[in-house]
Amino acid sequence: MRWARSRLDAESRLAQRLADRNKLRLLETRSIYFDSGKTEIRSGDMSELEDVAKALKADANAILELQGFADPRGNDRQNNELARERVEAVTRYLVQRYDIELRQLRGFAMGKQAGLGSYEAMFWTLTVTLTLAALGVMLTGMHGAHD
């Protein structure tokens, strides 16, 4: 009897977690910038990644989506590869430096962004965009994008 109740409780908790997985809510979006054609994380962006790591550690159910971009210079193959390598650089940094679990990270290489008219607009494509989502309330490790 006790075993059956324990199993039902475990199944109930699992069913609730599965139901909640699609109820993630956006908490924060930030960007990590790269020099043109480069995949090295700049020292000025490491504090952003530390904040993100703290938020991920604070909520084991939080998910971080990483979207890698490149500017429109170069061909599609090179830009897709560059975008992928930028996502991998951020992922590797978070896992190796802060022991973030891979299950919390979702990486996507978006490639180049076309049709940008200004230098300022092109600057924004040299990024990996970090989007944090979780089931709970705002996490203390993250603040506004430009605090």
Side-chain angles (χ1 to χ4, degrees):
M1 180 75 162
R2 179 181 268 183
W3 178 83
R5 183 177 302 148
S6 176
R7 182 179 171 146
L8 276 176
D9 289 344
E11 288 176 1
S12 176
R13 286 192 308 270
L14 176 60
Q16 185 61 48
R17 286 193 72 185
L18 291 173
D20 287 343
R21 74 175 181 220
N22 293 324
K23 296 179 184 174
L24 292 175
R25 116 185 133 80
L26 176 66
L27 295 179
E28 191 75 37
T29 299
R30 298 211 179 167
S31 294
I32 302 301
Y33 300 97
F34 293 85
D35 293 329
S36 182
K38 303 292 182 187
T39 61
E40 293 81 25
I41 298 170
R42 301 180 331 173
S43 60
D45 288 319
M46 290 180 183
S47 65
E48 293 283 342
L49 291 174
E50 182 179 7
D51 287 347
V52 170
K54 286 178 184 177
L56 289 167
K57 287 289 197 178
D59 184 346
N61 293 314
I63 301 294
L64 183 68
E65 180 177 291
L66 301 97
Q67 294 182 341
F69 297 93
D71 64 38
R73 294 175 283 190
N75 65 45
D76 288 345
R77 185 186 58 76
Q78 290 170 325
N79 283 309
N80 288 336
E81 183 73 13
L82 180 61
R84 184 187 59 75
E85 289 175 5
R86 288 174 173 171
V87 168
E88 288 177 0
V90 173
T91 299
R92 195 169 30 258
Y93 183 83
L94 289 170
V95 169
Q96 291 176 352
R97 173 122 184 171
Y98 296 103
D99 201 29
I100 299 301
E101 295 184 41
L102 281 174
R103 67 174 184 77
Q104 291 183 277
L105 305 174
R106 309 280 189 272
F108 303 95
M110 306 304 284
K112 70 179 179 181
Q113 297 295 308
L116 300 173
S118 70
Y119 177 78
E120 180 180 331
M122 189 178 295
F123 175 77
W124 290 104
T125 66
L126 307 174
T127 66
V128 169
T129 301
L130 310 171
T131 303
L132 183 68
L135 292 171
V137 297
M138 182 64 137
L139 300 172
T140 57
M142 301 278 290
H143 302 290
H146 300 287
D147 286 338

